[in-house]
Amino acid sequence: MEETMKREKGKVLGKARISVKLAFLYMALLLVSWSIIFFIFYRVSDKNAMDSAQALSAQTLNTVSKNISTLIDNTAYYSRIILSSSDITKALEMKDEKMQKESLHQFTSLVDTETHINGIYMWDMDSHGCSIDKNHVRTLRTEEIRETNWYEEVRELAGSYCLKLNADRVLTQSRAETTVSLIRVINNPTDYRPVGILMINMDLNAFTDSYSGLDEESVPVIYVLDDTGKIVTSQAEMPLPKVKESLKSHKNSSRLYLAQQDIDHISWKVLAGVQIENGLEQSGIGGIIFAMAMIFLALFCGTGYVIMKRYVADPLEEMAGSMNRMSGRKFEKIRIYENRHRSFGEMEILESTYNEMVDEIDALIEKVYEEEKIKRKAELNALQEQMKPHFLYNTIDAMSYLALSGKNEEVYDALEAFGSYYRILLSKGREMISVREEAEMVKDYLELQKLRYGDSLHYVLNIEPEIQGTFILKMVLQPLVENSVNHGIRHKETPGVVYVEGVEEDGYLKFTVEDDGVGMEEDKIKELNRENIGTNEKSFGLRGTIERMRIFYGSDIDYTINSKKGRGTTIVLRLPVCYEGDEGHD
């Protein structure tokens, strides 16, 4: 089915005019060129957009990482100041709660002035604790500090700090917000023996401020994760599992570029998702160049099509149209251009050669046409002259019979009808006569035959008045009627009737010649059909009539013969309707 449709489309396209084919060709060329340019421009724009997203991502990760790293370094610095205080280490060694509070409270100004520090908490090795809190005094729990989940890790660090989320919830009153704690062991400066634990809580807003200056539309996804993968702070609509999955599979969203970076000196990570801008919208000057290239290509293809149509397609189509009209004998010269210098040289040669050919063909056709007219006239005259003696013989034979019978008045009537018959037959040399005149010839002939056969012959003429003014080739009906009389009625033992009818049917003249004579065998009818009538020497009247009509009318005639042995014969003729002054009326 698909192959059939392709073949049908190919046939339709093959029959299309050359200008249509050129239009399809240039349109296809334009679309292909546009597609290639668009693909290249899209790829370049997309790469530029991706490069911009990668650059912005790297800059964002670096900025956030440095901000967080600076924040933690500052906090670690303040923790070292506290650890270096001799009052702190002395109070912790003595395990004196009052001295611990007094020594710690000397750093109250640190909590008040540093916005990123919310509180400082300290415990001796017996879990006696004290604190400084920016917002309120927090009551520490009295559980053993050794029971916390981070105590052993802090001891193993031997003075280095670790960062924990919500570590103060284990030892203090619960808080709803997330806290980030820097925890480290306080060692005796002399023997490095641990004497206490220090915890500094940092404000979560300080971590949020590390990326607060970024454009949320350009960087909609920010995650800060601790060493266990928990969220410290975030700015994102995309769930964290999806972000991690995209990073592991290296399949980022079609509109988002995802990347991660480790924060220096700590095991934290920053994840950032940067919006990939539409390369075509952000192309700027490249978009203008792209649009200009598209317009230039359209103008180039349009100009090429106009030139090829005007200088190639139009002349060829004009020539093809002239050739197609040749079948109607309308040979026309072509004029490709009024200004000869504007045409292609090859087209000028083609035009000149074609016009010369048209002149030669016109002259040749005119010559052949005149020769055919002379030949046709000669053939018609020859056939007509052949038929005249044929009819004359039969008529004289009939009048001889009347004279021998002593029927003088009948001989006179016969000569009168005979004269009328020949007056119409001669018709001043015309080939065509009116149907009325043809009917009168048939009537004169039948009257002549009736004088011979008497009551053995009857006839009926039924010619519609509407067609009597039309014209036909003369001596068309009379030979057919003569055949009916001589071959049908004459051999019949009883009286016979010849019926002649003429009507107009579907734009044709339809004549019917019918008799109730002896009829014909089927083999005889086959000898008179269309294929054999030209070689049938026995039926000169019918054969001559058909040949004359074919010469005059061409192939635009039709006839049928029906006959049954003992029941009669019917001949039906169909001829074109002609009026006086028609081309065929010569």
Side-chain angles (χ1 to χ4, degrees):
M1 183 66 178
E2 185 176 353
E3 291 296 329
T4 303
M5 293 179 65
K6 288 182 179 179
R7 286 196 295 269
E8 291 298 326
K9 290 181 179 179
K11 290 180 180 178
V12 172
L13 185 60
K15 295 179 181 178
R17 296 164 53 190
I18 188 171
S19 58
V20 176
K21 293 179 180 178
L22 277 176
F24 273 107
L25 176 62
Y26 276 96
M27 184 62 69
L29 178 62
L30 179 62
L31 292 177
V32 170
S33 302
W34 273 357
S35 300
I36 293 173
I37 292 177
F38 180 81
F39 176 76
I40 294 174
F41 180 76
Y42 178 81
R43 294 294 299 225
V44 172
S45 301
D46 187 61
K47 185 178 183 303
N48 291 337
M50 181 61 71
D51 291 343
S52 298
Q54 290 176 346
L56 180 58
S57 175
Q59 181 182 356
T60 300
L61 292 172
N62 190 50
T63 299
V64 176
S65 297
K66 285 184 177 180
N67 290 341
I68 294 177
S69 180
T70 300
L71 176 63
I72 293 174
D73 288 345
N74 289 340
T75 305
Y77 170 74
Y78 292 127
S79 71
R80 288 195 296 273
I81 293 176
I82 296 173
L83 265 60
S84 63
S85 173
S86 58
D87 294 337
I88 292 292
T89 56
K90 183 178 180 181
L92 291 173
E93 283 187 319
M94 295 179 63
K95 299 180 182 179
D96 186 334
E97 294 184 22
K98 183 179 179 181
M99 289 179 62
Q100 292 174 7
K101 291 180 181 180
E102 291 175 355
S103 61
L104 184 61
H105 276 270
Q106 64 181 315
F107 297 102
T108 301
S109 60
L110 182 63
V111 175
D112 293 338
T113 56
E114 295 297 329
T115 57
H116 68 281
I117 297 178
N118 281 339
I120 302 174
Y121 309 93
M122 186 175 66
W123 295 268
D124 60 21
M125 302 309 292
D126 290 336
S127 300
H128 299 133
C130 59
S131 64
I132 303 173
D133 195 277
K134 180 177 290 187
N135 298 319
H136 58 276
V137 178
R138 303 180 67 185
T139 304
L140 303 180
R141 297 178 184 176
T142 57
E143 289 88 348
E144 287 288 334
I145 195 173
R146 296 180 178 84
E147 296 178 0
T148 61
N149 55 7
W150 43 261
Y151 178 78
E152 293 298 332
E153 181 182 350
V154 172
R155 286 292 305 271
E156 291 177 0
L157 292 175
S160 297
Y161 66 84
C162 67
L163 299 173
K164 295 293 180 182
L165 294 182
N166 304 319
D168 61 334
R169 294 183 185 177
V170 179
L171 303 173
T172 65
Q173 293 177 343
S174 175
R175 299 178 64 185
E177 67 272 11
T178 300
T179 58
V180 180
S181 301
L182 184 148
I183 310 172
R184 64 194 313 169
V185 172
I186 303 175
N187 294 320
N188 187 298
T190 304
D191 54 10
Y192 295 100
R193 178 173 48 83
V195 295
I197 301 293
L198 176 66
M199 175 188 294
I200 299 178
N201 278 359
M202 289 174 279
D203 191 349
L204 190 63
N205 290 330
F207 292 92
T208 304
D209 291 342
S210 64
Y211 54 80
S212 60
L214 300 176
D215 183 7
E216 293 187 11
E217 292 185 2
S218 300
V219 189
V221 175
I222 291 287
Y223 280 98
V224 179
L225 307 180
D226 67 359
D227 55 347
T228 63
K230 294 180 180 179
I231 299 174
V232 178
T233 182
S234 66
Q235 169 188 290
E237 295 181 358
M238 184 183 293
L240 180 59
K242 187 175 181 180
V243 175
K244 290 183 176 180
E245 181 182 353
S246 299
L247 287 170
K248 289 179 181 179
S249 61
H250 302 287
K251 293 181 180 179
N252 296 328
S253 171
S254 59
R255 302 295 301 166
L256 202 66
Y257 177 77
L258 298 172
Q260 67 178 5
Q261 180 175 314
D262 294 335
I263 301 177
D264 294 339
H265 311 306
I266 58 177
S267 299
W268 285 16
K269 288 181 173 60
V270 179
L271 307 182
V274 176
Q275 192 74 32
I276 300 175
E277 301 292 342
N278 189 314
L280 298 179
E281 294 177 357
Q282 302 298 324
S283 57
I285 187 66
I288 297 176
I289 295 174
F290 169 75
M292 291 179 63
M294 291 290 198
I295 295 173
F296 172 78
L297 271 176
L299 292 175
F300 176 78
C301 291
T303 304
Y305 169 73
V306 171
I307 293 174
M308 294 299 293
K309 182 178 183 298
R310 181 174 182 182
Y311 291 100
V312 177
D314 287 349
L316 291 177
E317 288 179 356
E318 185 178 350
M319 187 177 298
S322 178
M323 289 180 177
N324 288 334
R325 289 190 292 271
M326 283 185 180
S327 59
R329 293 179 59 190
K330 295 181 180 179
F331 298 92
E332 300 175 358
K333 294 183 179 181
I334 60 173
R335 186 68 175 175
I336 297 178
Y337 299 106
E338 294 296 330
N339 299 324
R340 307 296 293 175
H341 66 276
R342 297 178 61 188
S343 63
F344 294 159
E346 292 80 359
M347 287 297 158
E348 292 184 20
I349 296 172
L350 187 60
E351 173 192 353
S352 176
T353 304
Y354 177 80
N355 289 339
E356 291 176 2
M357 180 188 70
V358 169
D359 288 337
E360 293 178 1
I361 291 175
D362 283 341
L364 181 61
I365 289 178
E366 186 65 25
K367 180 180 178 181
V368 172
Y369 177 69
E370 292 298 327
E371 291 177 352
E372 286 294 326
K373 284 178 64 177
I374 296 173
K375 180 181 177 182
R376 187 187 71 171
K377 182 75 173 179
E379 289 178 349
L380 284 173
N381 291 337
L383 284 171
Q384 189 165 311
E385 292 301 322
Q386 285 179 332
M387 294 179 70
K388 288 177 182 178
H390 185 265
F391 164 72
L392 184 60
Y393 169 78
N394 291 333
T395 304
I396 292 175
D397 181 59
M399 287 190 291
S400 298
Y401 173 79
L402 292 174
L404 290 174
S405 301
K407 300 179 179 181
N408 296 330
E409 292 183 2
E410 285 83 351
V411 172
Y412 175 79
D413 293 338
L415 289 172
E416 188 74 20
F418 189 64
S420 174
Y421 174 85
Y422 263 92
R423 184 181 67 255
I424 298 173
L425 177 64
L426 294 175
S427 61
K428 299 181 181 180
R430 290 180 296 158
E431 292 182 353
M432 295 189 75
I433 61 176
S434 66
V435 174
R436 180 183 298 105
E437 291 174 310
E438 182 75 10
E440 289 179 6
M441 285 182 62
V442 171
K443 181 179 179 182
D444 289 338
Y445 170 78
L446 289 171
E447 286 295 330
L448 286 172
Q449 297 304 316
K450 192 169 177 58
L451 290 172
R452 177 180 179 183
Y453 295 106
D455 293 336
S456 297
L457 173 64
H458 300 277
Y459 68 88
V460 177
L461 283 176
N462 184 18
I463 307 298
E464 286 187 349
E466 290 80 4
I467 69 170
Q468 292 189 15
T470 61
F471 284 75
I472 63 171
L473 181 67
K474 64 184 175 183
M475 288 192 71
V476 168
L477 298 179
Q478 186 274 332
L480 304 183
V481 173
E482 185 177 349
N483 275 349
S484 295
V485 173
N486 292 333
H487 301 290
I489 303 301
R490 189 175 69 176
H491 300 292
K492 188 178 180 183
E493 296 179 355
T494 58
V497 179
V498 176
Y499 176 78
V500 180
E501 180 187 53
V503 297
E504 183 176 354
E505 183 179 274
D506 299 330
Y508 284 83
L509 296 178
K510 178 183 176 183
F511 294 102
T512 303
V513 179
E514 182 179 358
D515 66 75
D516 58 354
V518 297
M520 293 182 290
E521 300 286 349
E522 186 174 350
D523 293 341
K524 179 67 175 178
I525 297 175
K526 290 181 179 180
E527 293 177 0
L528 299 177
N529 62 21
R530 294 172 180 81
E531 291 76 13
N532 301 322
I533 187 67
T535 60
N536 192 323
E537 300 294 339
K538 298 179 180 180
S539 180
F540 175 77
L542 179 60
R543 176 173 61 84
T545 302
I546 298 300
E547 287 183 0
R548 288 174 61 243
M549 287 192 297
R550 283 177 175 171
I551 292 172
F552 190 82
Y553 292 106
S555 60
D556 199 17
I557 65 166
D558 189 23
Y559 73 95
T560 58
I561 300 176
N562 294 309
S563 182
K564 289 187 178 181
K565 188 67 175 176
R567 299 186 63 179
T569 302
T570 302
I571 300 178
V572 179
L573 286 180
R574 288 173 59 87
L575 305 175
V577 178
C578 295
Y579 297 93
E580 186 173 9
D582 285 354
E583 183 179 358
H585 181 219
D586 187 359

